[in-house]
Amino acid sequence: MLRLLVVLLAMLAMWPDRSSAEEPACQGCGAPHRDAASFKNALLVTVKNHGFVAAAGEKARAQSKPTPGLVHADLAGDISVVVVEDRKDISRYVMSGEGKRFGLSDQDMMNIGRENLKRRVSRLQIEEHGPVRSLSFDADYNAALLLLPEVWSALPNLPADLVVAVPARDIVAFGDGADPEAVASLRRIARIPNDGYPVTALLLQRVRGRWMVKN
């Protein structure tokens, strides 16, 4: 098996930083500056199945929490983008409205989480598996690479018809949608066990810069 390392440090250094933790906390919200900075620094975005998001919302309502559920947005098919507060001792999904104490909307938290994720991806490991390849950088957040078009555009020999399989949080496989053998392999990968962390059994296709479900 051929293993390649793609070093993206130089490119990452050139990407604009729109979520600096040095930004002041909101005026009058009562949140200490250091707490706001710590919260912002801990935010990441990742992807989950719609079923997970719905279950989290039901659980919150069952506990009479004054929230509509997780911060989330649709990506494609049955995939949602969610926000995670990721710290050394614990990681948890962020509920809608939590950022208000720091003057942050749900969309602000999404944007900050994406910028933090982008900075975290300094190296990608690429493995070849016959007609398909796979990406990895952090088992808990490999699937979140779907949210970083900058990473995909930096990959060598990227197929013009890019198709991906993301059955679980730690698996991202991709290949040429014009290659029947690659597509067949990706469909098999999409159905493998997800170890309790499912993303989707669907294949995704990159069309004009956006992910869409492949028929």
Side-chain angles (χ1 to χ4, degrees), residues 131-132 176 179-191 203:
V132 303
D176 188 346
D179 180 353
E181 185 181 359
V183 173
S185 294
L186 290 170
R187 291 198 187 281
R188 288 193 293 271
I189 291 169
R191 295 193 295 269
L203 295 187

Side-chain angles (χ1 to χ4, degrees), residues 55-99:
E58 288 296 327
K59 182 177 180 180
R61 285 186 285 274
Q63 295 173 347
S64 300
K65 292 183 178 179
T67 173
L70 300 181
V71 176
H72 69 280
D74 290 342
L75 181 65
D78 56 354
I79 305 175
S80 291
V81 184
V82 297
V83 179
V84 181
E85 184 180 4
D86 185 68
R87 298 181 182 273
K88 290 182 179 180
D89 53 343
I90 190 171
S91 292
R92 67 179 190 86
Y93 297 97
V94 178
M95 307 300 285
S96 181
E98 278 194 48

Side-chain angles (χ1 to χ4, degrees), residues 72-163:
H72 69 280
D74 290 342
L75 181 65
D78 56 354
I79 305 175
S80 291
V81 184
V82 297
V83 179
V84 181
E85 184 180 4
D86 185 68
R87 298 181 182 273
K88 290 182 179 180
D89 53 343
I90 190 171
S91 292
R92 67 179 190 86
Y93 297 97
V94 178
M95 307 300 285
S96 181
E98 278 194 48
K100 288 182 179 179
R101 69 187 189 278
F102 301 123
L104 302 175
S105 67
D106 287 358
Q107 186 60 55
D108 290 335
M109 291 189 288
M110 282 271 189
N111 295 340
I112 291 169
R114 183 186 178 280
E115 294 300 317
N116 289 344
L117 176 69
K118 188 167 65 176
R119 283 194 294 272
R120 183 178 288 200
V121 185
S122 59
R123 286 178 181 266
L124 286 179
Q125 181 172 289
I126 306 177
E127 295 187 358
E128 294 192 5
H129 310 271
V132 303
R133 290 182 282 171
S134 65
L135 291 180
S136 64
F137 83 101
D138 180 326
D140 289 343
Y141 291 100
N142 285 342
L145 291 170
L146 289 175
L147 307 176
L148 300 179
E150 304 92 338
V151 167
W152 293 93
S153 64
L155 296 180
N157 304 315
L158 192 69
D161 185 4
L162 176 63
V163 176

Side-chain angles (χ1 to χ4, degrees), residues 187-210:
R187 291 198 187 281
R188 288 193 293 271
I189 291 169
R191 295 193 295 269
I192 68 175
N194 54 58
D195 294 328
Y197 298 98
V199 178
T200 185
L202 302 171
L203 295 187
L204 300 182
Q205 189 171 28
R206 193 74 172 169
V207 179
R208 293 187 293 277
R210 299 184 63 181

